[in-house]
């Protein structure tokens, strides 16, 4: 792998279709925003010969030339694929966004990959966001290697970063995180910082100098030997500790020299199992060079040490109805099972689906079955249809290179799958299958929108449906209570990208309006009301009088209607009309325009006219009686109370609880949620947590998570209720 003694196989250029699973490596680049993932992907493509020194191939494509929104925002906002070839191995590099708002893209990348390059800036340290991304990888058992970038920065420190990563990511075994290479430094500059000019391979004890613009092997200098020997001994002990040969450690401690081949094989197995995480380094290429420092070593690590698709267990499959099926294997001749890991729109070819093939072989122009779990609460329908596959291609930036097939283990783009969405399964039409879904993060930041103009209103529905089809982390809600159209997002950056895509990609301009919560009204005391609807001047008249009594009920009781009319003062055929009228008024509200709940309405008496009484008249009288009763009674505004569960590192518990109290929240309990983490349970008025997804991230420095669920409605404090009534009166 990365420290093999043989010369590297040389650049192989851009990748084509793979011919067998063993010739594929699917690698996801993960790490916090600003760590240099996209720059590293470009450097690897350059070293592999997929692009020239300008970052382009002959058709003008670039690695990062993918999304105009990314260029405008200056950061990655979506998963992108960079296929390269090295030593006869096709490497599918999956570049993921590092910003927390796009964790859905990260999880899609983890689903499609078999191993991860965890990219850490050597100048920024290990912060909460970095730990959170590492935990995302650990949660799915992803084999990882760590790559330090920004070694050219004056404040970078390779040794200190190695120590921090071992302490943070090694858990109980810090020797599971050790450098495979050490940086080779040049002369110190005026600022006292020594630039990195090469790498020292610890296992082979070979030194690679990149300062000339090419990778050249040079002998070790005498003053370098002690540092090399110390690091090498620790690396060998770390590898042996992970060896399946239990006698190896005893032999090593007895002074036996373990041969290089055995160490490399054990290292490869430990990396593939995810029990050992080698540390490497990467730095920019010298002017005019195509070989950035560490790029060849990384390519060798990927091809020699990372698992093949056949070594990575595929997700479980069932029939679309949920019946279990045998575990699939990465066999090109097996049953077709592929999964859409990303959906995008191209202005020229329409919808493009990025698909990972887990079993079988995907071919153009064949008909497949599309099965989906459905996320109806997010605006995604459940799928169970047949579709014809369009052209297969291998993406490179905005370019699509045609493929004749995509075998098990490979990743390809599929054109014109009009019904398939992210997370859907593609299988044979005569043997439909459904893959176990990956976990989607819950969008918790509401964005209320409305069409900017009549022309936008005509295009809004289609634009929103395409938007949520591309992004399953977004939820579309048509709130029946507030009559608002709400997009639920993961954060402010996610929100901004959604609005920009609606505008630039789908031609829909929307206005953002204040988000409303679903308030309710109820009576605070018993009250009576008389509704009189009498019009008898000219023509057919209207005559209806009813007397009601309204009393409060316990929360959750809804609305009860009771008939206590005696003597036929309200004819039997008009009693349902009174009920219809009072219920209609209750739905419209009696104080501030919010639905009335939890009351009992009793019809006591009334009057009718033999000619002029009608269904409509008694409906109107019932509504008038409700309004009169409300005018005489104390009306409470009820606000929704949300139960939230916040998980944060222990040292943020105090600030989180203080913040919740400032939101009129009630903390109902705390409990440990694993080493160094605490769950805080609280009940908070929903009106106070509209921006909590953003605020919690600030309070916890990106380390906090929360979920929410409706608990109940409770009376709003009189001062706040008064303000809302005043606003309602001004708006009426």
């Amino acid at each position: 792998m990365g420290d093999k003694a043989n010369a590297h196989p040389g650049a192989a250029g851009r990748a084509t279709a793979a011919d067998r699973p063993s010739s594929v490596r699917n690698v996801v680049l993960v790490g916090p925003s600003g760590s240099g993932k996209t720059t590293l992907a470009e450097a690897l493509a350059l070293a592999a010969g997929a692009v020239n020194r300008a970052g382009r191939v002959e058709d003008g494509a670039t690695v990062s030339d993918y999304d105009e929104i990314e260029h405008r925002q200056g950061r990655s906002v979506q998963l992108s694929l960079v296929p390269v070839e090295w030593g006869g191995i096709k490497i599918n590099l999956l570049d993921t966004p590092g910003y927390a708002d796009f964790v859905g893209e990260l999880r899609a990348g983890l689903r499609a990959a078999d191993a991860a390059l965890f990219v850490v800036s050597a100048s920024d340290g290990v912060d909460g966001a970095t730990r959170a991304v590492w935990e995302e990888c650990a949660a799915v058992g992803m084999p990882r290697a760590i790559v330090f970038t920004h070694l050219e920065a004056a404040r970078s420190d390779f040794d200190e970063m190695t120590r921090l990563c071992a302490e943070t990511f090694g858990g109980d075994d810090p020797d599971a995180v050790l450098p495979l290479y050490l940086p080779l430094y040049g002369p110190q500059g005026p600022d006292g910082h020594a630039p990195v000019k090469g790498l020292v391979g610890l296992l082979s004890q070979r030194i690679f100098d990149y300062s000339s613009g090419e990778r050249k092997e040079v002998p070790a200098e005498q003053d370098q030997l002690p540092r090399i020997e110390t690091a090498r001994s620790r690396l060998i002990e770390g590898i042996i500790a992970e060896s399946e040969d239990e006698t190896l450690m005893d032999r090593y401690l007895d002074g036996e020299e373990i041969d290089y081949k055995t160490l490399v094989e054990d290292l490869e197995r430990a990396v593939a199992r995810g029990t050992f995480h080698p540390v490497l380094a990467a730095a920019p290429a010298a002017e005019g060079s195509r070989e950035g420092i560490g790029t060849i070593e990384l390519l060798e690590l990927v091809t020699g040490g990372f698992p093949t698709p056949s070594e990575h267990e595929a997700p479980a499959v069932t029939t679309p109805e949920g019946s279990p099926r045998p575990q699939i294997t990465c066999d090109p001749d097996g049953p077709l099972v592929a999964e859409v890991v990303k959906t995008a729109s191209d202005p020229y070819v329409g919808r493009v689906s990025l698909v990972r093939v887990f079993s079988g072989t995907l071919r153009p122009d064949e008909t497949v079955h599309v099965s989906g779990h459905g996320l109806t609460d997010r605006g995604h329908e459940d799928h169970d249809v047949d579709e014809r596959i369009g052209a297969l291609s291998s993406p490179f930036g905005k370019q699509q290179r045609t493929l004749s097939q995509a075998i098990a283990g490979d990743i390809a783009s599929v054109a014109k799958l009009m019904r398939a969405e992210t997370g859907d399964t593609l299988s044979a039409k005569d043997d439909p299958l459904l893959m176990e879904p990956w976990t989607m993060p819950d969008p918790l930041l509401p964005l209320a929108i409305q069409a900017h103009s009549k022309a936008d209103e005509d295009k809004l529905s289609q634009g929103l449906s395409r938007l949520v089809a591309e992004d399953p982390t977004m939820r579309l809600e048509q709130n029946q209570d507030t009559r608002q159209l709400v997009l639920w997002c993961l954060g402010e950056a996610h929100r901004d990208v959604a609005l920009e895509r609606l505008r630039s990609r789908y031609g829909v301009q929307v206005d953002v309006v204040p988000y409303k919560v679903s308030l309710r009204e109820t009576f605070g005391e018993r009250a009576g009301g008389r509704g009189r609807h009498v019009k008898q001047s000219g023509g057919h008249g209207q005559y209806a009088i009813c007397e009601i009594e309204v009393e409060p009920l316990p929360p959750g009781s809804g609305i009860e209607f009771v008939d206590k009319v005696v003597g036929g003062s309200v004819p039997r055929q008009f009693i349902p009309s009174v009920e219809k009228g009072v219920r209609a008024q209750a739905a419209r509200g009696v104080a501030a325009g919010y639905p009335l709940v939890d009351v009992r309405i009793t019809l006591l008496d009334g009057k009718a006219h033999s000619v002029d009484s009608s269904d409509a008249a008694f409906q109107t009288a019932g509504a008038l009686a409700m309004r009169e009763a409300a005018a005489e009674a104390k009306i409470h505004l009820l606000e929704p109370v949300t139960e939230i569960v916040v998980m944060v590192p222990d040292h943020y518990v105090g600030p989180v609880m203080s913040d919740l109290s400032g939101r009129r929240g009630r903390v109902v309990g705390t409990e440990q949620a694993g080493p160094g983490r605490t769950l805080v349970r609280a009940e908070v008025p929903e009106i106070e947590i509209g921006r909590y997804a953003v605020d919690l991230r600030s309070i916890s420095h990106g380390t906090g998570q929360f979920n929410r669920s409706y608990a109940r409605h409770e009376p709003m404090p009189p001062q706040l209720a008064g303000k809302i009534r005043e606003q309602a009166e001004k708006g009426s």
Side-chain angles (χ1 to χ4, degrees):
M1 53 189 294
D3 193 20
K4 287 181 178 175
N6 58 297
H8 71 78
R14 62 188 189 185
T16 55
D19 57 358
R20 60 191 185 283
S22 61
S23 66
V24 178
R25 302 292 184 273
N26 296 311
V27 181
V28 61
L29 275 65
V30 299
S33 183
S35 59
K37 297 181 297 297
T38 301
T39 302
L40 180 60
E42 292 172 342
L44 293 172
L46 176 61
V51 297
N52 59 26
R53 292 191 183 99
R56 296 181 178 273
V57 292
E58 64 274 11
D59 55 11
T62 69
V63 174
S64 57
D65 185 21
Y66 194 82
D67 193 298
E68 293 179 1
I69 296 175
E70 293 188 327
H71 287 294
R72 283 194 290 270
Q73 296 211 355
R75 61 184 168 197
S76 297
V77 301
Q78 62 183 356
L79 175 70
S80 60
L81 176 64
V82 182
V84 301
E85 188 173 322
W86 185 260
I89 303 294
K90 180 182 181 183
I91 305 173
N92 289 315
L93 295 170
L94 293 149
D95 184 16
T96 64
Y99 199 67
D101 281 12
F102 307 105
V103 66
E105 301 284 325
L106 166 64
R107 292 182 181 175
L110 294 178
R111 177 69 157 214
D114 303 306
L117 286 175
F118 194 81
V119 185
V120 179
S121 171
S123 62
D124 292 341
V126 180
D127 58 10
T130 306
R131 293 186 182 93
V133 177
W134 182 271
E135 289 170 3
E136 288 280 344
C137 297
V140 296
M142 181 70 67
R144 281 147 284 162
I146 299 170
V147 185
F148 291 157
T149 57
H150 300 162
L151 288 168
E152 69 280 5
R155 63 182 184 275
S156 66
D157 189 327
F158 181 90
D159 293 338
E160 176 62 14
M161 281 302 301
T162 301
R163 186 192 65 79
L164 283 174
C165 286
E167 182 181 284
T168 305
F169 306 140
D172 297 332
D173 184 13
D175 284 342
V177 178
L178 292 171
L180 198 57
Y181 293 86
L182 295 179
L184 179 67
Y185 296 102
Q188 286 189 353
D191 59 356
H193 177 68
V196 177
K197 68 172 187 177
L199 297 174
V200 179
L202 292 178
L203 286 186
S204 67
Q205 302 182 81
R206 300 170 72 204
I207 298 181
F208 303 107
D209 190 331
Y210 283 80
S211 58
S212 67
E214 295 182 5
R215 183 188 193 233
K216 294 181 178 179
E217 186 173 351
V218 299
E221 297 178 9
Q222 195 65 32
D223 61 347
Q224 297 171 335
L225 295 178
R227 180 172 181 248
I228 294 173
E229 188 55 38
T230 300
R232 184 174 190 270
S233 297
R234 191 176 177 195
L235 174 62
I236 291 173
E237 290 177 11
I239 294 172
I240 292 174
E242 299 295 337
S243 175
E244 296 174 353
D245 184 349
E246 297 179 358
T247 70
L248 204 58
M249 181 62 78
D250 291 335
R251 289 158 48 197
Y252 177 72
L253 294 176
D254 288 340
E256 181 181 334
E257 182 71 25
I258 308 302
D259 67 275
Y260 175 82
K261 184 173 181 293
T262 299
L263 290 173
V264 170
E265 290 174 349
D266 279 343
L267 174 61
E268 291 176 351
R269 282 192 288 266
V271 171
R273 289 198 308 268
T275 58
F276 186 82
H277 311 295
V279 176
L280 297 93
E287 186 68 29
S289 171
R290 61 183 273 162
E291 296 177 354
I293 296 174
T295 51
I296 293 172
E297 289 76 11
L298 280 169
L299 291 167
E300 291 177 346
L301 168 69
V302 167
T303 54
F306 278 177
T308 68
S310 301
E311 297 173 86
H312 191 201
E313 184 175 337
V317 296
T318 66
T319 65
E321 296 74 30
S323 301
R325 290 290 300 269
Q327 178 69 40
I328 60 172
T329 60
C330 188
D331 180 1
D333 297 322
L336 177 63
V337 181
E339 187 172 36
V340 179
V341 295
K342 178 179 175 56
T343 309
S345 293
D346 185 280
Y348 302 105
V349 300
R351 183 177 292 187
V352 178
S353 304
L354 189 65
V355 174
R356 160 73 192 258
V357 184
F358 287 91
S359 174
T361 299
L362 193 63
R363 296 180 176 86
D365 300 322
E366 69 178 348
T367 300
V368 299
H369 188 80
V370 178
S371 303
H373 295 272
L375 294 167
T376 53
D377 64 322
R378 303 189 186 187
H380 298 260
E381 64 180 2
D382 201 1
H383 294 148
D384 192 12
V385 297
D386 289 342
E387 277 207 83
R388 186 182 179 86
I389 292 286
L392 293 182
S393 59
S394 181
F396 196 96
K398 287 186 175 181
Q399 303 295 324
Q400 300 288 336
R401 297 160 180 160
T402 302
L403 298 177
S404 60
Q405 64 178 20
I407 65 166
D410 205 356
I411 300 173
S413 288
V414 180
K416 298 182 179 179
L417 280 176
M418 303 311 297
R419 297 291 299 277
E421 298 181 0
T422 302
D424 284 354
T425 303
L426 310 182
S427 55
K429 64 177 182 178
D430 55 353
D431 186 19
L433 296 171
L434 182 62
M435 297 195 78
E436 179 182 55
W438 72 80
T439 303
M440 299 284 188
D442 291 325
L444 297 168
L445 180 68
L447 174 68
I449 58 173
Q450 61 186 24
H452 180 70
S453 66
K454 180 63 171 68
D456 293 309
E457 189 173 337
D458 295 338
K459 297 181 290 186
L460 182 59
S461 177
Q462 182 181 13
L464 288 173
S465 65
R466 293 172 68 182
L467 184 70
V468 297
E470 291 184 16
D471 188 353
T473 64
M474 191 170 290
R475 176 161 60 92
L476 180 62
E477 174 192 13
Q478 181 71 61
N479 191 302
Q480 299 301 318
D481 291 333
T482 63
R483 298 178 178 85
Q484 283 191 319
L485 190 63
V486 183
L487 271 176
W488 288 85
C489 307
L490 294 175
E492 290 180 311
H494 194 209
R495 174 201 64 190
D496 293 345
V497 168
L499 293 174
E500 179 66 14
R501 282 179 176 161
L502 278 175
R503 184 191 65 80
S504 62
R505 187 174 293 176
Y506 306 124
V508 182
Q509 186 76 34
V510 298
D511 297 326
V512 177
V513 297
Y515 171 69
K516 299 177 182 178
V517 300
S518 302
L519 301 180
R520 300 283 187 269
E521 300 174 357
T522 195
F523 276 61
E525 58 189 4
R526 188 188 302 261
R530 186 170 188 267
R532 185 176 186 274
H533 184 60
V534 178
K535 291 184 178 180
Q536 293 180 299
S537 57
H540 185 69
Q542 297 182 46
Y543 190 98
I545 299 174
C546 64
E547 296 182 7
I548 64 172
E549 181 182 72
V550 185
E551 58 186 311
L553 291 177
S557 300
I559 295 179
E560 292 183 14
F561 181 82
V562 179
D563 170 23
K564 285 191 176 180
V565 172
V566 294
S569 57
V570 177
R572 304 309 301 171
Q573 70 268 28
F574 294 133
I575 289 176
S577 303
V578 176
E579 179 178 2
K580 189 174 181 180
V582 299
R583 286 188 180 275
Q585 185 62 53
R588 292 191 295 269
V590 294
Y594 297 101
L596 182 72
V597 296
D598 302 332
V599 293
R600 178 183 292 122
I601 304 163
T602 303
L603 178 60
L604 301 174
D605 201 0
K607 291 182 181 179
H609 188 278
S610 59
V611 175
D612 293 339
S613 291
S614 66
D615 169 66
F618 271 100
Q619 284 190 48
T620 302
L624 291 171
M626 282 292 294
R627 293 204 290 268
E628 182 175 292
E632 300 299 323
K634 181 187 296 183
I635 304 297
H636 292 312
L637 276 185
L638 304 178
E639 61 180 340
V641 175
T642 299
E643 180 181 347
I644 69 172
V645 180
V646 186
M647 184 169 69
V648 289
D650 292 343
H651 51 280
Y652 290 120
V653 170
V656 165
M657 293 175 66
S658 176
D659 176 73
L660 291 173
S661 297
R663 299 172 187 269
R664 298 189 287 126
R666 296 185 295 272
V667 176
V668 297
T670 61
E671 60 187 79
Q672 285 301 119
R677 287 190 167 267
T678 299
L679 282 179
V680 179
R681 300 183 184 276
E683 294 178 345
V684 189
E686 185 178 333
I687 202 170
E688 302 285 352
I689 60 170
R691 284 179 47 86
Y692 194 62
V694 177
D695 297 337
L696 176 62
R697 189 174 296 163
S698 175
I699 294 167
S700 66
H701 296 273
T703 61
Q705 302 174 15
F706 81 104
N707 56 55
R708 53 181 283 172
S709 59
Y710 169 77
R712 60 189 172 278
H713 274 71
E714 284 186 355
M716 181 179 283
Q719 185 177 2
L720 288 177
K723 290 181 180 179
I724 290 177
R725 286 196 183 96
E726 289 176 7
Q727 293 172 358
E729 290 172 0
K730 290 179 182 178
S732 60

